[in-house]
């Protein structure tokens, strides 16, 4: 039986939101500076781990009904597709292209194909990490 840990549960909900927000920032800033898909994915997985430790795995599975093995496969698929796009334009494998566009609320923003690869890495890291954590956590 679990104790009444209201403060931990309340704090965890706020901290998870902050971690996920920072993870998205790291993901978006990663192709030009420190961060990217790997670090952002690890941050997201740490937020989900905090939820699993605060509540339990059953609750996390009910709240986030995602098969993380499929998330891993989807991430690898996206990363491979980002490299195959270079063959369409007769460029070396995993070549990067970028352009500047004016976006609402953000102004002039650089959009790069490296972000597609980072998305694949992000999903792969979250999927693998959560699969490992949930497999170990269920093994009692």
């Amino acid at each position: 039986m679990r104790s009444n840990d209201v403060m931990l549960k309340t704090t965890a909900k706020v901290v998870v939101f902050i971690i996920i927000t920072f993870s998205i920032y790291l993901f978006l800033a990663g192709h030009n500076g420190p961060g990217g898909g790997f670090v952002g994915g690890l941050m997201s997985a740490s937020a989900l781990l905090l939820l699993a430790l605060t509540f339990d795995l059953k609750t996390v599975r009910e709240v986030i009904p995602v098969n993380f093995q499929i998330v891993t496969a989807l991430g690898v698929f996206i990363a491979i597709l980002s490299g195959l796009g270079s063959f369409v334009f007769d460029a070396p494998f995993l070549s990067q292209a970028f352009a500047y566009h004016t976006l609402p609320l953000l102004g002039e923003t650089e959009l790069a194909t490296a972000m597609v690869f980072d998305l694949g890495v992000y999903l792969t890291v979250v999927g693998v990490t959560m699969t490992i954590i949930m497999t170990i956590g269920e093994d009692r």
Side-chain angles (χ1 to χ4, degrees):
M1 183 171 211
R2 299 195 77 150
S3 64
N4 188 3
D5 44 8
V6 176
M7 287 184 63
L8 174 64
K9 289 180 180 182
T10 305
T11 305
K13 292 174 188 176
V14 174
V15 171
V16 164
F17 177 76
I18 293 169
I19 293 172
I20 294 289
T21 304
F22 187 61
S23 167
I24 292 169
Y25 167 76
L26 285 174
F27 167 72
L28 294 174
H31 64 279
N32 284 333
F38 186 79
V39 175
L42 285 178
M43 291 289 293
S44 289
S46 69
L48 296 175
L49 174 62
L50 178 61
L51 283 178
L53 290 174
T54 303
F55 299 95
D56 57 358
L57 287 177
K58 181 181 176 189
T59 305
V60 172
R61 283 196 188 276
E62 289 174 1
V63 172
I64 307 171
V66 174
N67 184 346
F68 288 106
Q69 293 173 342
I70 293 174
V71 172
T72 302
L74 180 66
V76 170
F77 183 69
I78 290 172
I80 290 172
L81 281 183
S82 71
L84 294 179
S86 61
F87 293 130
V88 174
F89 299 104
D90 196 30
F93 186 66
L94 285 176
S95 294
Q96 174 178 270
F98 64 93
Y100 291 93
H101 297 282
T102 303
L103 299 175
L105 298 175
L106 298 176
E108 187 173 350
T109 306
E110 177 188 19
L111 298 177
T113 57
M115 189 175 289
V116 177
F117 178 75
D118 274 346
L119 176 64
V121 172
Y122 183 93
L123 293 174
T124 302
V125 169
V126 170
V128 167
T129 306
M130 289 309 297
T131 299
I132 291 170
I133 289 169
M134 293 212 161
T135 302
I136 291 172
E138 290 173 347
D139 188 33
R140 290 184 184 211

